[in-house]
Amino acid sequence: MKSPLLALALVSSLAFAADPVPPATQTCQPDKLIAAEAFDKPESFTKQKQPGTDGWRGGIGTWSIKDGAAYAVQEGPSEKRPNGHEAVCEHIVDLGDYVLTGEFKLGPSPQIGFVCRDTNQPNHHQGRVVITPTAIWIQKMSGISKETRREELKKIEVQIDPNTWHRITIEICGDRFFAKINDHILEASHERFKERKGRIGFVARAEGAQFRNLSLWSAKPKS
């Protein structure tokens, strides 16, 4: 006999896969559903070298499915990247404002982030919300590779249990970046966030972070 919690989890997973519901939001109104992925099967990842395909691309690092969720292992040191590189999973898009929701578990990973990049070729870093076991912050970014620059805009000190699943909602509307992690809210503004987004995704350092039930929506400002 299934436990009530297990049964609820199964129902929740099926409901997510069948009909993602637009989330309650503060600054943006979700518009068109761009992607909805439970990350519960290997097919959740798009083959990166397959042209003209939509979907979540497990790029840098190693991505797999473990315990019904995306499991991240960062790239090790190499001649190209002597210090290695955090694991990166992104969806190629062409969006202005957007809303992203999902769940994450840090596990042994010291840091994860939910990120966006602009439409330059290659896509330059634009902004991210960074999550560690002791703090959350929003940062504005620019550049790519060795030219990457970052500026911390808003930070809160908070305890995030690494062994628990947490819910996140991100809204970027105009110059405003709004993030809600469980009941923790932080927001920041910068002109950089107004630029169109060419890639949206999530990243993780070291090994062990997990992600599931990601939904991405185009959005428009609330009137």
Side-chain angles (χ1 to χ4, degrees), residues 63 86-89 104 106 109 111-116 127-132 137 168 170 201-205 209 211:
W63 291 90
E86 61 191 358
V88 180
C89 184
F104 68 89
L106 284 165
S109 173
Q111 179 176 303
I112 68 166
F114 290 84
V115 308
C116 59
R128 66 176 63 186
V129 56
V130 181
I131 302 161
T132 74
W137 64 90
I168 185 168
I170 294 170
F202 43 95
V203 300
R205 291 187 180 177
F211 305 85

Side-chain angles (χ1 to χ4, degrees), residues 127-210:
R128 66 176 63 186
V129 56
V130 181
I131 302 161
T132 74
T134 58
I136 305 168
W137 64 90
I138 293 172
Q139 62 190 34
K140 163 259 180 183
M141 302 180 73
S142 62
I144 191 69
S145 189
K146 294 181 180 179
E147 301 302 318
T148 299
R149 299 292 180 267
R150 56 185 60 84
E151 177 186 351
E152 187 180 293
L153 301 177
K154 178 68 176 182
K155 184 175 184 178
I156 59 174
E157 306 290 338
V158 61
Q159 297 297 312
I160 299 293
D161 184 351
N163 299 312
T164 297
W165 283 101
H166 304 278
R167 184 75 178 169
I168 185 168
T169 300
I170 294 170
E171 306 171 38
I172 297 185
C173 230
D175 68 350
R176 191 175 178 189
F177 193 130
F178 177 93
K180 181 178 180 182
I181 295 90
N182 300 329
D183 294 326
H184 307 295
I185 292 174
L186 64 165
E187 53 188 310
S189 296
H190 198 281
E191 289 292 311
R192 177 75 170 137
F193 301 142
K194 289 183 176 180
E195 298 179 28
R196 291 194 72 79
K197 291 79 185 171
R199 290 175 181 257
I200 294 170
F202 43 95
V203 300
R205 291 187 180 177
E207 177 178 352
Q210 290 181 274

